[in-house]
Every structure is written in C-alpha cells, then in structure tokens.
C-alpha cells in the first residue's frame, strides 16, 4: 500500500468532521473566554441606599444615571436591613448616608467577589467626592486571606466539573460512546454516583483542611461537590448516549466553553456582558460557584435556586441515559464494538 493510500484510509469523512468539530470548539473557547472576560464592567449591580427621605430620591437618581449604568439602586429602610440583604445576597452593596455629617459608610462583601467590592468602593468614593463627602468601606463578608481575589470557590467547582465529564467520558468510551444496554447504563450511573461522592469529599478536604482556602461547612461543600460532579457526569453520559463520541464535545461546549467564563468566578455576574450574565446561573459552573461562595461566606443563604439547577441537570442526564439505553435495538447492540481492541468495562 502506497503512502497516498495510507493517507486516504486515515483521513475518512468521519475523521475530517471530527477535526473540524475540534477546530470549532477551539475557536468558540477563545471567543467565549475573551468575549466574557476581556473588558469587565459593572452593569445594573443591585445596590441599596439608606438615606434621609429628603435626599434619598435625588441620590437614587444620581446613582441610576451614572455613565454606563453600573448600579441598579434601590431604597433600603435602614442599615440593619441593608446588612441582611447583602448577607442574603439580594444586593451586592449599600451606601449608608450619615445625616449628621459628611462621612458615609459603604457596605460590601468581598467574599462574593473581590473585584465587585473594589469596583463599588471606587464608584461610591467618586460619587461622594463630587458632593464633598467621604466614604468608609465596611466588608460584611470578607474573603479569606487564603482566598486570593475570592476565586477559590470558582476553581473548586471547575475541578469538580472537569472530574465529572472526564469520568463520564472514560466510562462511555470504554465500550463505545453509547451504553450497550440498560444494565450497563445502570452500572455506569452507579459508578458515576460513587465517584461523585468521593470527588466531592476530596475537593472539600483539599480546599478546607489541607489548604485552608475556604471557610464554611465541610459537609456542605462536600455535598455540593457530589451534586456538581454527578450533574456534569450524567449530562455528559446523556449527550454521549444521544450522539456518540460527539457528546464529549457537546459536554465541553456546555460546561467549559459556555459555563466557565459565565460562572462569575474571576468577575461576578454583574460585571460580565449580557449574554454570559444571562446563561451563567443556568449552567453547572455558575450554579456551583454561587453555592460554594454562599456556603463559605454568606451563611449558606440563597442556595435553593442554584441547587435546583444542578439537580435538574443531574435528573435530566440520568433519565436520558437510562431511556436511551432501554430503547436501543438488538441491531445496535450487536453492532457496537469496543475501541482500541480492549475489553469493555461496565
């Protein structure tokens, strides 16, 4: 066989399509990460204002009309309410106006993202300066001194997501990208669940007792890790069950290319462009990062919605995986061949 024949046999239409698909993922990766993170700026950040009634309306108008619309200000009854709303993650900061002097107080929470706290401090300092006033920032939920820029939560969740789709990919390609039958699909689901529990606990051990990067409940983080790994793993298995090996690329598209830059990790969601801000909370990295920060810095508040998002991904992935396996025909089962000449694993 000549070299030309070898090349012709190697470069099949299927291989060419897969290479083109990989190239597409590469370009989407660049476009998504650079598009989301190259120029972060705050837009419509939920922000509270505690001020005497005679100046509240004017101050709200001034904050609302700042160039670029960085703030979405709203009146808050008093300082105690503002503190609670920040710790409940309803707002990202609040200005407490001193009616008896010119020194105001800005409440922030760097545990939700150091870049957001810094940005709010800069904006309000400039606004107060124009009124010949000063402002003092008070951090209600400070990021740990072992959690630089408050991004350890994000990297923890990224690690869990990577483990989820890599484990699912290995389970699937061990005997072809589609589950051969219902029994094998059930076994893979069980293995994925066990792996998720171990991965969740392992991540919590590393981020907490070993590195001391995050405070908060160890078992809370472990449970979040298990759910995150399982959600990503099962949606990966489901995509592979539906589309074959292409499912691995689709999982990368959802979790890595779309999910990571929109997760609010390096920059909180209000600092991201509209598209990424809209999709972030609905994807596993964004939901997981939000919950991890809430556990670490916000007393576990405001986690119901993101946990439901992760649970939905896990449930949908599990149902699709099992249904597709149950509906496969005998011809499909007979035609499946394990790759690389290896003995298929469950």
């Amino acid at each position: 066989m000549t070299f030309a024949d070898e090349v012709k046999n190697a470069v099949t239409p299927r291989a060419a399509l897969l290479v083109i698909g990989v190239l597409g993922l590469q370009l989407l990766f660049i476009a998504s990460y650079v598009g989301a993170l190259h120029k972060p700026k705050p837009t419509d950040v939920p922000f509270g204002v505690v001020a005497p009634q005679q100046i509240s309306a004017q101050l709200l108008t001034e904050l609302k009309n700042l160039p670029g619309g960085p703030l979405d200000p709203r009146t808050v009854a008093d300082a105690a309410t503002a503190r609670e709303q920040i710790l409940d993650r309803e707002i990202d900061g609040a200005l407490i106006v001193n009616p008896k002097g010119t020194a105001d107080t800005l409440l922030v929470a760097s545990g939700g993202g150091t870049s957001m706290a810094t940005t709010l401090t800069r904006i309000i300092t400039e606004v107060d300066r124009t009124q010949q006033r000063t402002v003092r920032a008070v951090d209600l939920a400070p990021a740990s001194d072992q959690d630089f820029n408050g991004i350890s939560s994000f990297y923890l969740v990224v690690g869990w997501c990577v483990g989820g789709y890599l484990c699912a990919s290995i389970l699937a390609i061990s005997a072809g990208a589609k589950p051969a039958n219902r029994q094998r699909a059930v076994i893979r689901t069980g293995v994925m669940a066990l792996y998720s529990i171990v991965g969740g606990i392992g991540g919590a051990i590393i981020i907490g007792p070993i590195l001391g990067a995050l405070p908060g409940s160890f078992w809370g983080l472990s449970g979040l890790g298990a759910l995150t790994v399982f959600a990503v793993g099962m949606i990966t298995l489901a995509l592979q069950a539906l589309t074959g090996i292409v499912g691995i690329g689709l999982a990368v598209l959802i979790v890595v290319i779309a999910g990571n830059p929109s997760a609010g990790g390096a920059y909180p969601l209000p600092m991201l462009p509209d598209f990424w801000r809209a999709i972030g909370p609905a994807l596993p990295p964004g939901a997981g990062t939000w919950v991890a920060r809430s556990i670490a810095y916000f007393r576990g508040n405001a986690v119901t919605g993101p946990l439901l998002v992760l649970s939905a991904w896990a449930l949908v992935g599990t149902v699709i995986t099992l249904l597709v396996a149950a509906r496969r025909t005998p011809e499909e089962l007979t035609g499946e061949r394990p790759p690389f000449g290896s003995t298929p694993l469950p």
Side-chain angles (χ1 to χ4, degrees):
M1 183 178 294
T2 66
F3 178 74
D5 291 332
E6 292 283 358
V7 172
K8 182 178 179 180
N9 290 336
V11 185
T12 62
R14 182 173 182 269
L17 288 175
L18 289 175
V19 169
I20 292 172
V22 170
L23 176 61
L25 288 177
Q26 172 186 304
L27 298 179
L28 285 172
F29 183 99
I30 296 170
S32 184
Y33 277 72
V34 177
L37 306 176
H38 77 290
K39 192 179 180 182
K41 65 175 183 177
T43 306
D44 294 330
V45 177
F47 188 79
V49 174
V50 179
Q53 186 174 3
Q54 60 270 25
I55 65 172
S56 177
Q58 178 181 349
L59 181 57
L60 285 174
T61 300
E62 182 179 354
L63 295 177
K64 184 69 175 179
N65 294 331
L66 288 173
L71 303 180
D72 178 18
R74 71 282 309 269
T75 301
V76 178
D78 51 43
T81 303
R83 290 173 179 269
E84 284 303 309
Q85 289 188 5
I86 290 173
L87 293 177
D88 289 341
R89 309 199 73 179
E90 296 177 18
I91 57 178
D92 289 307
L95 176 63
I96 314 298
V97 176
N98 180 5
K100 299 181 180 180
T102 60
D104 300 328
T105 301
L106 172 66
L107 304 180
V108 295
S110 62
T114 303
S115 57
M116 176 61 73
T118 302
T119 299
L120 289 177
T121 302
R122 175 182 56 80
I123 292 172
I124 298 303
T125 299
E126 293 175 357
V127 170
D128 265 24
R129 185 181 297 119
T130 64
Q131 304 296 326
Q132 287 77 51
R133 303 179 67 87
T134 60
V135 65
R136 177 178 65 94
V138 175
D139 198 340
L140 299 182
S144 164
D145 57 5
Q146 302 297 313
D147 182 14
F148 180 73
N149 276 350
I151 58 175
S152 295
S153 302
F154 169 63
Y155 287 125
L156 173 64
V157 172
V158 167
W160 281 329
C161 290
V162 169
Y165 67 71
L166 285 182
C167 180
S169 300
I170 291 171
L171 287 174
I173 66 175
S174 67
K178 295 184 179 180
N181 51 46
R182 181 184 300 175
Q183 180 183 12
R184 182 168 291 160
V186 170
I187 292 174
R188 289 176 178 176
T189 301
V191 171
M192 195 69 244
L194 179 61
Y195 175 88
S196 300
I197 294 171
V198 175
I201 294 174
I205 290 174
I206 292 172
I207 204 76
I210 294 179
L211 297 179
L214 283 183
S217 167
F218 168 80
W219 290 112
L221 288 174
S222 297
L224 169 64
L227 179 57
T228 302
V229 175
F230 189 71
V232 172
M234 291 313 301
I235 203 64
T236 302
L237 285 176
L239 290 170
Q240 291 168 335
L242 291 170
T243 65
I245 196 171
V246 174
I248 297 176
L250 294 176
V252 170
L253 175 64
I254 293 171
V255 177
V256 179
I257 295 176
N260 285 353
S262 65
Y267 301 105
L269 288 174
M271 299 186 71
L272 299 179
D274 291 344
F275 172 76
W276 287 269
R277 190 189 323 171
I279 67 173
L283 298 177
T289 298
W290 178 276
V291 175
R293 282 177 170 161
S294 290
I295 292 172
Y297 298 117
F298 296 93
R299 307 181 301 197
N301 291 329
V303 299
T304 301
L307 287 177
L308 288 175
V309 168
L310 291 170
S311 300
W313 283 100
L315 178 62
V316 169
T318 301
V319 169
I320 292 176
T321 299
L322 297 178
L323 284 179
V324 171
R327 293 170 63 90
R328 296 196 71 188
T329 65
E331 290 77 10
E332 288 178 306
L333 298 177
T334 303
E336 184 174 78
R337 292 291 183 270
F340 316 123
S342 61
T343 302
L345 299 175

